[in-house]
Amino acid sequence: LESMRAELMKHAPALIAKHHMAWLGGDHSITLPLLRAYKKHHGQPLAVLHFDAHCDTWQDHFGEPSGHGTWVYEAIQEKLVVPQCFVQLGIRSAGERAAREYVKDCGGAIHTSRELRGKDGPEQIAPILADLQQRLAAHGNPPLYVSLDIDCLDPAFAPGTGTPEPGGMSTNQVLSVLEGLSEFDCVGMDC
């Protein structure tokens, strides 16, 4: 993990400076070093819109101090992000309360998959985007980074994910949110 992150960081700053990047592949282990690079590039903590089935707020990952299940916790602890501008969509996995509610306890927002049921089109998604916009405005409009874990989708839409969780978002929901982000200052994305 550390060698992958070190290799990524050899290239990320130059790419971020030159291009509007969408980082593809791998897992959420890439997000923490990317947030470090984006914070350094922009000179300030970022807002994050995080699509996922899992909260990724564990303090360790099966005994390892860092990994794809810890990046949100680490990003908040390292002040890479504005906690009040951290919004999670599609969360539905079980977990202890401290991890499951960590983002909300830090001032951010969690829109669980259950809360999103039946909200399929732009009109139904608009309140979520309005909340995100208000959060950003209240904190000086930090640059927005989008992180999309494919398992935010229900396994019917993403059957190949390594960590399937039933009851996820539909492709229509995810596309409606992504289309609604056209009015936001999105500086980068990973999937």
Side-chain angles (χ1 to χ4, degrees), residues 102-136:
Y102 182 74
V103 166
K104 192 179 291 185
D105 290 346
C106 291
I110 302 170
H111 299 280
T112 67
S113 186
R114 180 178 295 238
E115 294 167 20
L116 296 172
R117 284 186 197 155
K119 297 178 181 176
D120 209 15
E123 298 81 25
Q124 292 90 6
I125 298 297
I128 294 166
L129 294 171
D131 175 60
L132 177 62
Q133 194 166 44
Q134 289 171 352
R135 289 173 176 279
L136 271 60

Side-chain angles (χ1 to χ4, degrees), residues 113-129 153 157 168-180:
S113 186
R114 180 178 295 238
E115 294 167 20
L116 296 172
R117 284 186 197 155
K119 297 178 181 176
D120 209 15
E123 298 81 25
Q124 292 90 6
I125 298 297
I128 294 166
L129 294 171
L153 292 168
F157 300 100
M169 297 176 72
S170 71
T171 51
N172 281 341
Q173 286 176 309
V174 171
L175 288 172
S176 291
V177 174
L178 291 176
E179 290 164 354

Side-chain angles (χ1 to χ4, degrees), residues 51-102:
F51 294 81
D52 208 323
H54 308 92
C55 57
D56 292 351
T57 55
W58 299 100
Q59 293 183 30
D60 68 76
H61 192 78
F62 300 106
E64 294 294 324
S66 187
H68 67 88
T70 63
W71 73 271
V72 174
Y73 175 80
E74 292 177 272
I76 291 173
Q77 290 296 305
E78 291 182 30
K79 300 183 182 355
L80 303 176
V81 300
V82 179
Q84 299 84 354
C85 296
F86 203 105
V87 176
Q88 295 181 309
L89 296 177
I91 305 296
R92 62 190 181 280
S93 65
E96 64 184 43
R97 191 227 169 269
R100 191 181 61 244
E101 300 291 325
Y102 182 74

Side-chain angles (χ1 to χ4, degrees), residues 30-44:
I30 69 169
T31 308
L32 184 65
L34 289 172
L35 288 174
R36 289 172 179 151
Y38 277 94
K39 180 186 177 192
K40 185 174 182 181
H41 177 77
H42 290 283
Q44 67 182 48

Side-chain angles (χ1 to χ4, degrees), residues 47-51 85 87-89 132 144-147 177 181:
V48 175
L49 180 60
H50 171 213
F51 294 81
C85 296
V87 176
Q88 295 181 309
L89 296 177
L132 177 62
L144 177 64
Y145 185 84
V146 178
S147 185
V177 174
L181 293 177

